[in-house]
Amino acid sequence: KIWNTETGMCDLNLTGHGGMVTALCVVGDGHLASGSYDCTIKIWNTWTGMCDLTLTGHNGEILALCAVGDGRVISGSGDQTIKIWNTETDLCHPGRNRS
């Protein structure tokens, strides 16, 4: 739900996840990322209430989200992985091993 803090009324009800929502973060102007027990991340338009993008790739519930700019969102999951997503291309950045 998106609440109007001046009126105390609900402006929008965002629905679409298949499980409990466990993480939220603001992604750029007018967008919100949500993570869920359904193992997906959704990018919402907070003006229209529509889901613009669904990111899939985790095998466990989404436990943490963080927007880092440039259209990127970092997710932490119960599958014991952290993924870096480009919300403009719908792709997960490849991991790198460092010695």
Side-chain angles (χ1 to χ4, degrees):
K1 294 184 184 279
I2 297 179
W3 297 89
N4 183 319
T5 57
E6 292 179 11
T7 65
M9 303 295 292
C10 177
D11 283 345
L12 287 171
N13 191 17
L14 308 177
T15 59
H17 277 294
M20 180 175 31
V21 174
T22 55
L24 297 171
C25 73
V26 174
V27 183
D29 187 35
H31 286 86
L32 177 75
S34 61
S36 171
Y37 266 41
D38 66 7
C39 307
T40 68
I41 300 159
K42 294 188 179 289
I43 308 297
W44 303 90
N45 182 316
T46 59
W47 300 108
T48 66
M50 301 298 294
C51 177
D52 289 344
L53 181 64
T54 300
L55 302 171
T56 60
H58 277 294
N59 294 316
E61 64 277 8
I62 308 303
L63 301 173
L65 290 174
C66 178
V68 293
D70 299 331
R72 293 182 300 152
V73 172
I74 299 174
S75 58
S77 170
D79 65 10
Q80 302 178 348
T81 64
I82 297 169
K83 295 185 183 290
I84 302 172
W85 303 90
N86 183 327
T87 60
E88 294 175 9
T89 63
D90 185 21
L91 296 175
C92 179
H93 293 271
R96 295 185 196 127
N97 293 326
R98 296 187 183 189
S99 12

